[in-house]
Amino acid sequence: MIRGIQEAGVKGQVHLREQIANALLMQRGHLFGWAPVFLGVGIGVWFSFGFEPQFIHYSALAIVMGMCLIGARYSEMLGPALLGVALISLGMLLAGYRAHSLAEPVLTFRYYGPIQGRVVTLDRSASDKVRLTLDHVVLDNMSPHRTPQKVRISLHHEQDWIAPTPGMFVMTTGHLSPPAGPVEPGGFDFKVMAWFQSLGAVGYTQNPVLQLEPPADGFDLYRFRIQISDAIRDRIDGEIGAFAAAITTGERSAMGAETLADLRASNLAHLLAISGLHMGLLTGFVFALIRYGLALIPKISLRFSSKKIAAIAALICGAGYLALSGGNVSTERAFIMVAVMFLAILLNRRALTLRAVAIAAIIVLVRRPEQVTGPGFQMSFAATTALVAVFGGMRNMDQSKIPTWLRPVVAVFLSSLIAGLATAPYSAAHFNQISHYGLFANMLSVPVMGILVMPSAVIAACLWPFGLEFIGLWGMEIGLRWILFVANQVAHLDGSVGRIVAPNSAVLPIMTLGFLFLILWRGRSRLIGVAPVLFAGVIWAQTDRPALLVSDNGNLVGVLINGERVLSRERSDSFSARSWLENDGDARDQQHAAIAWEQRIHNIDGFRVLQIRGQRQSTSLEGCGGADILIMNVENQTDRPCDVYDPTRLRSTGSLALYQDRANIITAQSLAGNRIWNTPSINPSMASDYFSTSE
């Protein structure tokens, strides 16, 4: 009997090995799609480090990568796994190289004084103020090797006599500060984004901006964009004209805050950004127009490949659109995706395949590894991957039962549904809201964008030299007027927007790997991917928000009372307040969240917490006033028998969080770690030489 059990066990093991071997054999020819996945994993791991890797770490990674590549060549069974490890190592090396190659000085103190520089870009802040990004920066009493390469200042003063333009050298007097860290431990870290934009300081000015020198050469294309935007707004009034300018040139400074809010609430904000949808619609229209136009000319269509001619023309138009839109990250990513598609046509390959999506993702990750953590990259590739996978699977389905006239409607419905479902988790995680009627709004708007708005934009561009651009602009105006009408109506429906609690940092990676396994793996075993998706959902549902939050200057405190965040101030630190409430999934504004605040000791998990504000309260307070933790927005001048967090200490710890049922305060710095972008000691101006030194 024992022997029988042993034999059954051996047979079971053999059968299991056979099943695994068969499952692996089924992946032959389908492994390329995993290349950007492993590359992205390596980049993500590098960003998650709590320390800054040193030269010896990168050397070890290079050795591991080389050994894995050699091993993959000689081991057929372990080859794919070894290549995966090599790609993960490469991802970490790429991220490290990119971070150190962009190293520039970062301001380490608060500065007030003269600011000179050349205007690089203009945009608007969240408070609707005009912002200037300057390079060639000159600051008072600061040597060039300590001066940030770029600074960004908001204009809190109306410009009455000069309108800054790209290339213009300007000066003003203003305030600058180092890029801020996370508003709460583990939250979005602006320092990381600023580092990869070479942005060494941010601030504002309440003084006029004066011109030092007229616009320099090299910004002709940027000024051409502004001229086109102004011309469009001159011909199309109001928000519709601003919308038309935004989707044509990427210049969104004229868009009103209410319109932007309506577009976000109706899940139509993606129509505003020049991304994959716009690039795909534009190049697709040009491709179809030229291909079918050439088909009407037998002398050309019979001698040449009209499809390849159309692909080249569409590629050129896409490159022009990229240049005209300012070449921002989302447009660059969209162009790479359509370029891969049209190059596949030129090489007689199928354009819409997961392999093409993988190639585009690899190019983006190699060029800009930091994008893997951003919502734009995640949402665009989630939508594209899901669409290609679903429509690829439907390619062999019998569609004869669907009437011909109904097929485009079904395709639009499925596209909106699939893209909406694929991007919903990322949108909810990054923006803490979900549009309940977003599918409905997209069904009513996306077809109009594809059928009317983008073709009209191409027609307007072609007719502009002849002074007949009004024909195309008229079509754009009709289409955009309808889209804004839909956005306004949907945004104001009861319950149009649902608020979502910010997830744990592990949720999106786990969920993404599960989805990718479902799409990329072959065979029934792909259903294993359901498990990590469900697991991520469970983690998200059980997200625990901090019972106490403290801003990095001690000005603002937020306490959870009966499940709602109560804030200590109605106006101060509005960005932190808004972020905390959004991460809580709370739709209230700062003013309403501060109504119930009482200046008293709050008992949080046995810790008695008290905030005092201003010098008067500080000097009149005896000891700690009975508190265990004292939060101050002024410098502490006396010894106190408690844990004191004043501005000096908070500058080193960053924002604070205290969870219920946890024994200690969590600081933003402890979670962010000592990385190149937040540690002055490893942030020298010559950090680009980092890889040639061993510290």
Side-chain angles (χ1 to χ4, degrees):
M1 182 176 177
I2 294 175
R3 180 177 295 177
I5 294 173
Q6 291 176 341
E7 291 177 353
V10 171
K11 290 180 180 179
Q13 292 177 359
V14 172
H15 181 63
L16 179 61
R17 283 198 297 269
E18 289 178 352
Q19 286 184 323
I20 294 174
N22 291 334
L24 293 175
L25 286 173
M26 290 181 66
Q27 312 313 311
R28 286 183 176 274
H30 300 284
L31 291 174
F32 185 76
W34 287 98
V37 177
F38 286 112
L39 198 62
V41 168
I43 296 169
V45 169
W46 184 88
F47 276 100
S48 69
F49 286 151
F51 63 94
E52 188 61 33
Q54 303 297 308
F55 180 79
I56 189 172
H57 300 124
Y58 292 113
S59 300
L61 283 172
I63 293 171
V64 169
M65 185 177 70
M67 292 176 64
C68 287
L69 291 174
I70 294 172
R73 186 174 181 179
Y74 294 102
S75 175
E76 184 177 359
M77 190 69 177
L78 296 177
L82 292 173
L83 285 175
V85 175
L87 285 168
I88 292 173
S89 302
L90 177 60
M92 287 189 276
L93 288 169
L94 285 172
Y97 175 78
R98 171 76 172 167
H100 289 280
S101 68
L102 293 174
E104 294 292 342
V106 175
L107 200 66
T108 57
F109 59 92
R110 295 183 181 274
Y111 170 90
Y112 176 75
I115 304 170
Q116 297 182 25
R118 182 181 64 175
V119 178
V120 180
T121 57
L122 294 90
D123 63 351
R124 287 189 176 270
S125 65
S127 58
D128 209 30
K129 301 292 185 183
V130 175
R131 293 191 305 195
L132 306 180
T133 301
L134 309 177
D135 66 359
H136 294 285
V137 179
V138 178
L139 301 179
D140 191 35
N141 292 325
M142 191 172 295
S143 60
H145 74 274
R146 294 180 55 224
T147 304
Q149 182 189 35
K150 293 181 182 178
V151 302
R152 192 173 70 192
I153 54 174
S154 298
L155 307 186
H156 292 187
H157 180 278
E158 292 295 330
Q159 290 292 115
D160 297 326
W161 59 85
I162 177 177
T165 59
M168 180 185 293
F169 283 84
V170 298
M171 72 166 295
T172 186
T173 299
H175 299 262
L176 291 176
S177 299
V183 296
E184 64 175 83
F188 168 72
D189 195 343
F190 177 68
K191 285 184 178 181
V192 180
M193 187 178 78
W195 179 266
F196 286 95
Q197 294 179 355
S198 298
L199 198 61
V202 294
Y204 65 94
T205 178
Q206 295 177 326
N207 299 299
V209 175
L210 307 177
Q211 176 178 309
L212 289 176
E213 297 179 23
D217 295 333
F219 285 83
D220 295 337
L221 185 59
Y222 200 118
R223 286 192 287 273
F224 181 57
R225 289 179 57 213
I226 301 300
Q227 290 173 2
I228 292 178
S229 299
D230 293 341
I232 292 174
R233 290 196 294 268
D234 287 342
R235 290 161 175 78
I236 305 177
D237 296 330
E239 292 296 311
I240 300 173
F243 199 169
I247 65 172
T248 305
T249 67
E251 209 280 307
R252 293 190 282 175
S253 61
M255 293 292 295
E258 291 184 6
T259 302
L260 292 172
D262 288 347
L263 289 169
R264 293 191 187 101
S266 57
N267 199 27
L268 294 177
H270 65 95
L271 298 181
L272 185 63
I274 298 179
S275 56
L277 175 66
H278 301 76
M279 187 69 74
L281 291 175
L282 174 73
T283 55
F285 175 74
V286 172
F287 176 79
L289 182 68
I290 294 179
R291 184 180 183 187
Y292 294 119
L294 292 176
L296 300 176
I297 309 174
K299 289 184 179 180
I300 296 178
S301 60
L302 294 176
R303 296 181 62 187
F304 303 99
S305 173
S306 59
K307 183 169 70 171
K308 292 186 178 182
I309 295 173
I312 294 172
L315 196 56
I316 293 172
C317 288
Y321 194 29
L322 172 66
L324 182 63
S325 65
N328 60 56
V329 172
S330 62
T331 315
E332 182 184 273
R333 182 173 58 243
F335 175 72
I336 289 173
M337 294 175 72
V338 299
V340 169
M341 180 182 72
F342 287 120
L343 287 174
I345 292 175
L346 294 174
L347 296 173
N348 297 316
R349 299 287 190 270
R350 274 194 315 181
L352 296 175
T353 64
L354 289 174
R355 180 179 291 268
V357 177
I359 292 172
I362 290 171
I363 294 172
V364 172
L365 291 175
V366 170
R367 281 179 48 79
R368 300 178 186 267
E370 69 275 11
Q371 284 199 48
V372 77
T373 62
F377 175 89
Q378 295 171 8
M379 293 175 68
S380 63
F381 277 101
T384 305
T385 303
L387 287 168
V388 172
V390 173
F391 280 100
M394 295 173 57
R395 189 178 292 115
N396 298 323
M397 291 179 60
D398 182 15
Q399 301 181 14
S400 59
K401 296 182 180 180
I402 304 175
T404 304
W405 64 269
L406 190 59
R407 290 176 188 174
V409 178
V410 173
V412 170
F413 173 78
L414 286 177
S415 298
S416 298
L417 178 62
I418 294 165
L421 291 175
T423 58
Y426 303 95
S427 176
H430 289 287
F431 306 116
N432 305 111
Q433 68 177 35
I434 186 168
S435 176
H436 293 144
Y437 307 113
L439 175 61
F440 175 69
N442 277 273
M443 282 289 296
L444 295 175
S445 301
V446 172
V448 175
M449 181 68 77
I451 296 171
L452 181 58
V453 176
M454 296 309 294
S456 296
V458 175
I459 293 171
C462 293
L463 296 179
W464 208 295
F466 307 101
L468 300 174
E469 70 280 355
F470 65 89
I471 298 174
L473 294 179
W474 176 72
M476 289 186 71
E477 182 176 2
I478 293 174
L480 295 177
R481 187 183 297 277
W482 168 255
I483 292 173
L484 290 181
F485 171 77
V486 171
N488 179 264
Q489 295 299 310
V490 171
H492 290 87
L493 292 174
D494 290 338
S496 62
V497 177
R499 302 293 176 173
I500 306 294
V501 176
N504 182 284
S505 60
V507 168
L508 284 184
I510 295 173
M511 186 176 291
T512 300
L513 290 175
F515 280 129
L516 288 172
F517 196 87
L518 283 168
I519 292 172
L520 299 177
W521 197 257
R522 302 293 163 178
R524 292 181 180 178
S525 54
R526 70 168 58 185
L527 294 177
I528 294 173
V530 174
V533 173
L534 294 177
F535 179 62
V538 171
I539 297 175
W540 196 340
Q542 296 178 347
T543 298
D544 184 23
R545 291 292 296 151
L548 170 72
L549 285 168
V550 180
S551 66
D552 60 3
N553 56 13
N555 261 333
L556 186 69
V557 171
V559 179
L560 273 184
I561 299 177
N562 298 325
E564 284 193 337
R565 182 80 55 191
V566 178
L567 301 177
S568 62
R569 306 194 74 168
E570 295 183 358
R571 290 184 178 83
S572 178
D573 286 61
S574 58
F575 180 74
S576 295
R578 183 171 65 250
S579 299
W580 293 352
L581 293 172
E582 288 176 353
N583 290 340
D584 289 339
D586 193 335
R588 295 174 304 155
D589 59 23
Q590 181 176 359
Q591 188 172 3
H592 286 88
I595 291 176
W597 177 265
E598 296 180 7
Q599 187 65 32
R600 60 180 178 81
I601 294 178
H602 296 271
N603 196 317
I604 301 172
D605 197 31
F607 291 95
R608 294 167 296 175
V609 181
L610 175 65
Q611 183 200 28
I612 59 172
R613 297 197 298 262
Q615 198 63 47
R616 180 177 298 179
Q617 289 188 10
S618 174
T619 55
S620 63
L621 182 71
E622 294 185 4
C624 295
D628 301 309
I629 300 173
L630 186 63
I631 310 298
M632 304 175 65
N633 68 345
V634 294
E635 302 297 336
N636 181 37
Q637 303 293 337
T638 62
D639 291 331
R640 302 183 187 273
C642 60
D643 205 2
V644 180
Y645 288 91
D646 65 352
T648 299
R649 186 176 182 187
L650 287 168
R651 277 193 288 272
S652 62
T653 64
S655 54
L656 310 176
L658 180 61
Y659 287 82
Q660 204 72 38
D661 302 324
R662 299 193 192 178
N664 60 313
I665 285 183
I666 299 172
T667 69
Q669 178 61 32
S670 66
L671 293 186
N674 297 321
R675 303 306 304 269
I676 186 173
W677 46 77
N678 62 14
T679 308
S681 62
I682 56 172
N683 181 14
S685 59
M686 298 301 291
S688 57
D689 297 332
Y690 185 82
F691 277 90
S692 63
T693 62
S694 55
E695 297 176 358

